[in-house]
Amino acid sequence: MTDENERAVRAAIDGEMSLLDPVVRASPARVLELLDPEFTEIGASGRSWDVASILTVTGDGSVSPEAPVEVDDMRGAVPAPGLVHLTYLGSHRGRRVRRSSLWRLTDTGWRLWFHQGTPTG
């Protein structure tokens, strides 16, 4: 992996971890800085989300310092310039979900463009 790709993956991982941080999640302004205006998600429940709808759950307090999301096996790849694909296993309150995120580089930095969660057995 080139230095440029390593920096891109590191930026996406940092952004992903920020979105899982209870302090960041409690700040709609901070969440909006990390989400692409065209953000979409297919949640682990099968529900579709966009920027407006995801803001209703990021600040709901379900992720807290007492109940954080645990992250395992996070990996990143650069499939094209300006695009990073992350995969990882997230665990929260006994539920394990395989997650996939696409981050894209914008004029304002790296922003989450697409996310999908798939429950594991």
Side-chain angles (χ1 to χ4, degrees):
M1 188 178 298
T2 68
D3 286 347
E4 183 177 333
N5 285 355
E6 286 180 21
R7 283 191 299 275
V9 168
R10 179 79 262 158
I13 289 173
D14 290 348
E16 192 81 22
M17 296 305 292
S18 290
L19 282 171
L20 297 173
D21 182 315
V23 174
V24 173
R25 293 172 71 87
S27 169
R30 184 67 181 113
V31 171
L32 286 172
E33 290 174 0
L34 294 165
L35 296 181
D36 191 277
E38 296 177 9
F39 168 81
T40 58
E41 175 176 336
I42 301 170
S45 66
R47 180 176 172 185
S48 294
W49 303 85
D50 60 12
V51 173
S53 60
I54 205 72
L55 285 174
T56 66
V57 295
T58 55
D60 69 1
S62 63
V63 175
S64 67
E66 299 77 30
V69 175
E70 296 176 21
V71 174
D72 292 306
D73 197 28
M74 188 173 288
R75 298 171 189 217
V78 178
L83 190 65
V84 172
H85 180 222
L86 299 179
T87 58
Y88 61 98
L89 182 63
S91 301
H92 185 243
R93 299 184 184 260
R95 184 175 188 206
R96 294 168 52 89
V97 177
R98 179 70 52 194
R99 300 205 170 266
S100 176
S101 294
L102 287 172
W103 287 77
R104 71 177 175 181
L105 186 58
T106 70
D107 292 340
T108 59
W110 287 95
R111 298 177 84 175
L112 181 58
W113 179 66
F114 177 79
H115 183 82
Q116 181 167 358
T118 304
T120 62

